[in-house]
């Protein structure tokens, strides 16, 4: 049973650059949520994708955008990177409207 | 705005003892609660979910929910060094599509 996968595992960028993070949900799941986790904090909800549309968005600026593909995989794009965007980016998958979410290993982004 | 409060710790517990982790929440409407374990540098791993008042047991783990007092707790019996991690509690936001998280409690099991 394939779990949630994310790529890349680590990424270093400089301020102003753009980044794309990728996620494949757990086998059988159709919903992908993205979270940002700063050091020492709980995850913060960025947005959720279901049926290739953004279903809900958290309190993040428009620099953060996403996409879901027909195979349910998803991308998170961040434009005009800021130092404060350095964090662990987590992808979580679930089935339909289920509240139970399973996390991938995360992508650690460092912005210099 | 919904909030979750957890003692950041660290909570130090001797090996073999019971570790007790607590979480309080601000929303009286929430029906489900989740405990995740996060090892340093890793992603959160779901260990328990609870939906009804009372206790729910799964192996060495017991989740306790008290909706009237708005707290949920996690007990770990026979604590092992491998239980050393940060424990995060979470519950669904207004739409159930997002999880609202506490900052986590760091648990250290001393051999």
């Amino acid at each position: 049973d394939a779990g949630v996968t994310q790529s890349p595992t680590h990424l270093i960028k400089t301020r102003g650059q753009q980044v794309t993070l990728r996620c494949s949900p757990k086998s059988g799941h159709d919903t992908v949520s993205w979270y940002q986790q700063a050091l020492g904090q709980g995850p913060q909800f960025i947005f959720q994708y279901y049926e290739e549309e953004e279903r809900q968005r958290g309190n993040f600026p428009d620099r953060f955008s996403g996409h879901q593909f027909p195979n349910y995989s998803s991308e998170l794009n961040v434009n005009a990177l800021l130092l404060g965007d350095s964090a662990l980016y987590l992808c979580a998958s679930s089935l339909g409207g289920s509240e139970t979410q399973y996390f991938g290993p995360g992508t650690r982004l460092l912005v210099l | 705005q919904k909030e979750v409060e957890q003692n950041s710790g660290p909570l130090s517990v001797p090996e073999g003892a019971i570790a007790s982790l607590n979480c309080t929440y601000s929303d009286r409407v929430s029906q489900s609660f989740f405990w995740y374990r996060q090892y340093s540098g890793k992603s959160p791993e779901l260990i328990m979910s609870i939906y009804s008042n009372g206790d729910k047991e799964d192996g060495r783990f017991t989740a306790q929910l008290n909706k009237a007092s708005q707290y949920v707790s996690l007990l770990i019996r026979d604590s092992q060094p491998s239980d050393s991690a940060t424990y995060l509690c979470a519950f669904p936001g207004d739409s159930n599509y997002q999880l609202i998280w506490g900052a986590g409690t760091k648990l250290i099991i001393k051999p």
Side-chain angles (χ1 to χ4, degrees):
Chain A
D1 182 17
V4 182
T5 60
Q6 291 186 245
S7 63
T9 56
H10 295 82
L11 206 50
I12 300 175
K13 292 286 188 178
T14 57
R15 282 178 296 175
Q17 285 189 311
Q18 177 265 343
V19 68
T20 297
L21 311 181
R22 296 176 176 82
C23 171
S24 291
K26 183 179 171 70
S27 178
H29 285 185
D30 57 8
T31 303
V32 173
S33 303
W34 287 93
Y35 292 83
Q36 179 195 67
Q37 186 178 25
L39 204 60
Q41 302 296 317
Q44 297 292 315
F45 176 74
I46 303 175
F47 41 54
Q48 185 182 85
Y49 276 85
Y50 174 68
E51 292 188 341
E52 301 182 53
E53 292 193 358
E54 183 182 290
R55 181 153 68 174
Q56 187 180 5
R57 187 180 186 91
N59 189 25
F60 278 80
D62 292 345
R63 298 187 298 108
F64 290 77
S65 63
H67 187 77
Q68 186 178 36
F69 300 93
N71 67 353
Y72 307 121
S73 66
S74 176
E75 288 183 349
L76 164 65
N77 300 291
V78 186
N79 294 322
L81 285 167
L82 304 174
L83 296 179
D85 295 331
S86 296
L88 179 66
Y89 288 85
L90 298 162
C91 167
S93 80
S94 56
L95 180 60
S98 173
E99 305 156 337
T100 305
Q101 300 183 7
Y102 297 89
F103 285 82
T107 294
R108 187 163 297 281
L109 172 65
L110 177 62
V111 182
L112 300 176
Chain B
Q1 182 168 338
K2 296 186 178 184
E3 291 184 343
V4 182
E5 297 287 336
Q6 290 184 260
N7 186 325
S8 61
L11 174 65
S12 183
V13 174
E15 183 177 358
I18 296 175
S20 177
L21 304 159
N22 299 309
C23 174
T24 59
Y25 59 93
S26 63
D27 178 43
R28 289 189 174 275
V29 178
S30 294
Q31 298 296 315
S32 50
F33 299 87
F34 303 90
W35 280 102
Y36 284 80
R37 176 177 62 198
Q38 186 172 26
Y39 293 112
S40 181
K42 303 296 184 182
S43 63
E45 173 191 9
L46 179 65
I47 55 173
M48 289 284 286
S49 59
I50 186 165
Y51 303 92
S52 304
N53 272 331
D55 296 359
K56 178 182 177 182
E57 186 174 319
D58 183 1
R60 296 187 297 112
F61 298 96
T62 299
Q64 299 175 321
L65 175 58
N66 185 322
K67 291 186 179 182
S69 300
Q70 295 180 241
Y71 81 79
V72 57
S73 61
L74 180 70
L75 302 178
I76 306 174
R77 291 182 300 280
D78 188 23
S79 297
Q80 304 296 310
S82 60
D83 295 326
S84 297
T86 295
Y87 289 80
L88 299 143
C89 68
F91 67 95
D94 290 329
S95 67
N96 290 343
Y97 298 146
Q98 63 169 294
L99 292 176
I100 310 295
W101 298 79
T105 298
K106 185 174 183 178
L107 175 65
I108 299 172
I109 306 300
K110 292 191 171 181

